[in-house]
Amino acid sequence: MAKSMKTVLITGGAGFIGSHLCDLFLKNGYRVLCVDNFITGTKENIRHHISDKNFALIEHNITIPIYLKEDVDIVLHFASPASPVDYLNYPIQTLKVGSLGTHNSLGLAKAKGATFLLASTSEVYGDPLVHPQTEEYWGNVNPVGPRGVYDEAKRFAEAMTMAYHRVHKVDTKIVRIFNTYGPRMRMMDGRVVPNFITQALKNEPITIYGDGSQTRSFCYVSDLVDGLYRLVNSGLHDPVNIGNPHEMSLNELAEYIKKLTGSRSKIVFKPLPEDDPRQRQPDIARAREKLKWLPKVSLQEGLVATIAWFNKNISP
Ligand code: UDP
């Protein structure tokens, strides 16, 4: 390895966003250490890097401390189940990776003198009473509801990150990621975009939960990782929202995916999951001003690319 080459360690590096970060950092000349225990990540997502000499896979559960001999310049903590269905299936793992996993990742960053980035979430705002959501808003979270395992773990993770910054002077960053989509999401992983696309491509019923009037704002994964890269290289320590402010109802999304896929699917309505947020839209003024970041990929472009990927990878 060339001496000038920097090393980035990515927990959850074989997950959806983590694997796109592996791609980006390798492309930009970094050595990448990908840490994953494959609860929700897959080897498929990183198979194209396995023979790269600047890439190493470390199969490890980050809720257990990790000790490495080599230097690490940046730690990106992205390990966590991230779909509501996944964190309902793995509630204790979700709490542990957000708490113990964050503590261990911060410990590693402190030991190595590395910059640390926490993948936090718009879920810290819960079912928001402020719209759009600014970073100043403290949120409306039910700690004992089914989503609480994810929301509270991430809120704890933010508090832990700020404590390491204040006490140990670790160079920390916190990103609050809003709904993101793109290639490498698992089909039917429970999140709305992979569910709707899989259902539409198979001409099976598209399942809208509730009456479909709830809103979300969807960001394409290449825009997200561009924002993350800028944040890692910034001097910011306060949380930053990264997401696409283009807000729409789930009814509109279902119709749009139906149209783009030319699907014959019927739309069916299912019960709304408990504590499902009514509306969500990021206020991205901070990212725009401090990172000079703006999402560039339109919903149409992003969905067309994602649909093409699912079409190629869908199992019968
Ligand atoms: N949703 C839906 N049908 C599905 C999956 C999800 O209507 O098959 C709804 C879900 O209830 C929520 C929205 O889509 O209102 C976004 O859900 P997702 O699981 O993608 O993430 P969330 O934003 O809730 O964390």
Side-chain angles (χ1 to χ4, degrees):
M1 179 185 31
K3 257 225 142 64
S4 59
M5 184 174 243
K6 287 196 170 181
T7 298
V8 56
L9 180 143
I10 308 174
T11 77
F16 162 50
I17 295 174
S19 66
H20 285 277
L21 286 169
C22 290
D23 295 354
L24 180 68
F25 277 87
L26 282 168
K27 192 179 99 206
N28 289 352
Y30 287 75
R31 171 165 166 74
V32 171
L33 308 178
C34 167
V35 176
D36 212 296
N37 66 345
F38 301 108
I39 285 194
T40 55
T42 66
K43 288 215 169 100
E44 231 15 80
N45 287 344
I46 44 143
R47 198 174 294 287
H48 54 298
H49 295 312
I50 292 291
S51 59
D52 187 332
K53 65 179 186 340
N54 293 325
F55 179 84
L57 173 63
I58 304 171
E59 199 162 337
H60 178 81
N61 181 344
I62 196 62
T63 65
I64 296 161
I66 184 167
Y67 299 98
L68 296 173
K69 285 207 182 80
E70 65 182 289
D71 290 344
V72 176
D73 301 283
I74 302 170
V75 174
L76 308 178
H77 182 37
F78 279 70
S80 179
S83 145
V85 170
D86 287 338
Y87 50 75
L88 297 186
N89 285 333
Y90 303 107
I92 296 173
Q93 290 91 334
T94 302
L95 280 160
K96 284 176 74 178
V97 76
S99 53
L100 305 177
T102 301
H103 187 211
N104 293 334
S105 306
L106 280 162
L108 178 70
K110 176 176 161 246
K112 300 291 182 187
T115 292
F116 176 86
L117 171 67
L118 172 69
S120 187
T121 166
S122 54
E123 282 283 322
V124 300
Y125 302 123
D127 191 5
L129 305 176
V130 164
H131 194 76
Q133 292 79 56
T134 61
E135 290 89 348
E136 278 78 33
Y137 178 49
W138 291 354
N140 177 39
V141 170
N142 174 5
V144 293
R147 297 174 86 104
V149 297
Y150 184 65
D151 303 9
E152 296 295 5
K154 290 292 189 183
R155 289 168 68 94
F156 173 91
E158 289 198 8
M160 183 64 109
T161 301
M162 289 311 290
Y164 264 64
H165 175 62
R166 293 190 181 111
V167 177
H168 295 308
K169 311 291 177 225
V170 176
D171 176 27
T172 61
K173 330 273 173 197
I174 297 173
V175 58
R176 293 185 179 148
I177 299 172
F178 283 65
N179 293 70
T180 299
Y181 70 99
R184 300 194 197 137
M185 295 183 100
R186 282 152 34 233
M187 60 192 66
M188 298 300 293
D189 86 347
R191 283 179 282 193
V192 68
V193 172
N195 275 16
F196 283 4
I197 292 179
T198 308
Q199 292 162 341
L201 289 175
K202 292 185 167 183
N203 292 306
E204 288 170 0
I206 294 180
T207 55
I208 292 184
Y209 302 157
D211 66 4
S213 64
Q214 72 271 34
T215 67
R216 295 292 186 274
S217 311
F218 297 97
C219 183
Y220 190 63
V221 65
S222 62
D223 279 334
L224 177 86
V225 296
D226 171 38
L228 298 177
Y229 195 79
R230 287 167 192 252
L231 179 57
V232 168
N233 290 298
S234 78
L236 292 184
H237 304 298
D238 289 332
V240 181
N241 291 337
I242 300 279
N244 190 318
H246 178 174
E247 183 180 355
M248 65 194 311
S249 73
L250 272 292
N251 286 325
E252 288 172 281
L253 180 71
E255 288 297 346
Y256 198 40
I257 289 179
K258 229 185 115 164
K259 190 173 124 199
L260 290 177
T261 50
S263 173
R264 299 188 305 278
S265 292
K266 282 202 294 267
I267 291 182
V268 298
F269 293 87
K270 301 265 181 194
L272 190 66
E274 203 178 321
D275 296 336
D276 197 281
R278 284 287 323 145
Q279 54 179 4
R280 185 181 287 155
Q281 187 203 124
D283 180 316
I284 57 167
R286 185 174 290 174
R288 202 175 52 229
E289 280 157 31
K290 309 270 184 187
L291 306 177
K292 309 283 174 242
W293 176 83
L294 269 182
K296 295 191 195 90
V297 180
S298 69
L299 187 69
Q300 177 174 354
E301 274 176 278
L303 282 179
V304 166
T306 309
I307 290 166
W309 186 86
F310 271 84
N311 225 341
K312 229 169 55 194
N313 291 280
I314 211 158
S315 51

